[in-house]
Amino acid sequence: MYLLAIETSCDETAAAVLKIAQWKNRVRFLSNMIASQATLHAKTGGVVPEVAARAHVEKIIPVIRLALKRAKISIGKLAAIAVTAGPGLAPALAVGVDTARTLAWSFDLPLFPINHLEAHVFSAFIKEKNFSLPQKKRVFPAVALVVSGGHTDLVYARDWLKYKKIGQTLDDAAGECFDKIARLLNLSYPGGPALSKLAKQGSATINFPRPMLKTDNFDFSFSGLKTAVLYYLRNHKLPTTNYTLSANIAASVETAIVDVLVHKTIQAAIKLKAKTVLLGGGVAANLPLRARLKEAANKNNLNLLITKPEYCTDNAGMIGFCGWLHWRKQNFTPLKKIVVRAGWELT
Ligand code: KG4
Ligand code: ZN
């Protein structure tokens, strides 16, 4: 059976096709297409929702067509559709949800409304192109860190799709912190990858604060770090043309963020006696974060599943995978109840 997945929550128009052998519990990713709006938003240094939505309208049909073409199937072969219903930018989400609803209605298919963050939580299970789910007792309970542009959440999962949020950022998300500090350093959009690239040339010589590192909960806070960098730049009359100093600032910022993310995640896993740690979301593409979490998980005898880089930043493959998890549990939602939920937080 074939499932089409659609993602338009922010600035990527994405569609994927998955082939599912439900009785064998196996899935194969046939295509995973993304039309990025990065160059469009680079002009404004951030995403303007209406501009993003207009670009989604232009790209959604060509991207779906391409995903079907790559998968070598016709639209009539589809058995289900999954679409991101939230959280995200309302006008952007509406393009994906309306397109999916129209297709589902026209071809009489079940439509699964997917929470984008839930998809990031479970994206770490996506393996090679053809794989089956691991036995649940080998993986769960698990603690998942979801780090994206808008969210930094810690989640305790006791089974597939059964989870509870145990911590979150009280202000800026980790990705937002990367992006805002990148802007202070005059780096290009999107800031996270640019800051990380610059950090590779520097050393973490500046001791920026590690907010909430020692607090006895699983929450985060990153706005203080951004302010500390702002003051540092002001006091030193920066940003500077001194490349080494900029690189040292970037490396110090990245180290501070990674320190907090790794420490809190491992502490949560230990305290809650988790077997596995999961890492997902755009910031999970960050190489030092991946390396440091691996080191810490090994040291504490925890299994670690890190999302493959192509499924970290926004993509439809992870939406399809999460759609399949709902499908195998027969979690159907009537078409008329499927609406955009821009503020759909994990609970
Ligand atoms: O999950 P995602 O693609 O979109 C949201 O759901 O928000 O995450 C985007 C975020 C951005 O803040 C971007 O700067 C950050 O992920 N990001 C990175 C890296 N790649 C993407 N941050 C740090 N290092 C990276 N390599
Ligand atoms: Zn995301």
Side-chain angles (χ1 to χ4, degrees), residues 116 120 148-150 175-176 178-179 190-193 196 281-283 285-286 312-314:
H116 180 91
H120 275 313
S148 70
E176 194 178 355
F178 266 108
D179 293 341
S196 189
V283 181
N286 183 270
C312 284
T313 41
D314 291 347

Side-chain angles (χ1 to χ4, degrees), residues 62-303:
V63 169
I64 291 173
R65 244 197 206 133
L66 203 58
L68 291 166
K69 196 173 166 198
R70 272 287 160 86
K72 296 196 174 71
I73 65 154
S74 62
I75 198 159
K77 285 256 177 74
L78 293 175
I81 303 177
V83 66
T84 307
L89 308 170
L93 287 162
V95 178
V97 171
D98 284 348
T99 307
R101 201 193 285 115
T102 307
L103 289 175
W105 181 78
S106 310
F107 292 90
D108 197 19
L109 302 174
L111 177 60
F112 297 92
I114 302 300
N115 181 304
H116 180 91
L117 299 169
E118 185 181 276
H120 275 313
V121 168
F122 292 98
S123 61
F125 289 98
I126 303 174
K127 284 211 182 136
E128 338 60 67
K129 292 208 161 151
N130 191 357
F131 66 98
S132 41
L133 293 183
Q135 275 183 322
K136 106 178 187 192
K137 64 170 191 274
R138 293 185 55 195
V139 181
F140 298 104
V143 161
L145 172 67
V146 177
V147 263
S148 70
H151 292 81
T152 303
D153 289 343
L154 268 173
V155 169
Y156 176 82
R158 59 186 167 84
D159 198 346
W160 303 108
L161 302 179
K162 296 222 168 87
Y163 55 84
K164 193 174 160 17
K165 181 158 77 178
I166 53 169
Q168 64 187 344
T169 181
L170 304 179
D171 39 58
D172 291 354
E176 194 178 355
C177 183
F178 266 108
D179 293 341
K180 285 180 175 168
I181 294 175
R183 213 186 298 181
L184 293 177
L185 294 173
N186 285 337
L187 299 175
S188 58
Y189 171 90
L195 188 136
S196 189
K197 196 170 157 204
L198 178 61
K200 262 196 220 148
Q201 316 295 322
S203 323
T205 48
I206 307 153
N207 191 21
F208 287 126
R210 271 88 173 133
M212 296 184 75
L213 185 72
K214 296 271 153 61
T215 53
D216 192 22
N217 58 31
F218 305 129
D219 290 332
F220 301 90
S221 162
F222 290 104
S223 72
L225 174 58
K226 176 194 64 195
T227 312
V229 175
L230 183 68
Y231 285 147
Y232 186 90
L233 292 173
R234 270 198 202 149
N235 294 341
H236 293 79
K237 309 224 178 326
L238 298 167
T240 168
T241 45
N242 182 335
Y243 185 79
T244 311
L245 184 53
S246 289
N248 287 349
I249 295 170
S252 306
V253 165
E254 186 173 55
T255 306
I257 296 174
V258 170
D259 273 355
V260 178
L261 293 175
V262 170
H263 180 81
K264 288 247 157 171
T265 306
I266 297 292
Q267 285 312 306
I270 293 171
K271 272 195 191 158
L272 301 172
K273 299 187 171 51
K275 282 187 187 144
T276 309
V277 170
L278 308 171
L279 175 65
V283 181
N286 183 270
L287 293 177
L289 173 61
R290 298 168 82 89
R292 294 268 311 280
L293 194 62
K294 192 171 171 194
E295 208 178 285
N298 278 345
K299 211 163 137 190
N300 291 283
N301 286 325
L302 291 157
N303 298 326

Side-chain angles (χ1 to χ4, degrees), residues 26-38:
R26 279 187 87 71
V27 60
R28 177 196 284 262
F29 282 65
L30 298 181
S31 60
N32 189 29
M33 312 310 299
I34 300 174
S36 175
Q37 303 175 6

Side-chain angles (χ1 to χ4, degrees), residues 9-11 37 41-42 44-53 89 92 183 189:
S9 66
C10 188
D11 58 350
Q37 303 175 6
H41 301 301
T44 42
V47 183
V48 179
E50 279 68 28
V51 174
L89 308 170
R183 213 186 298 181
Y189 171 90

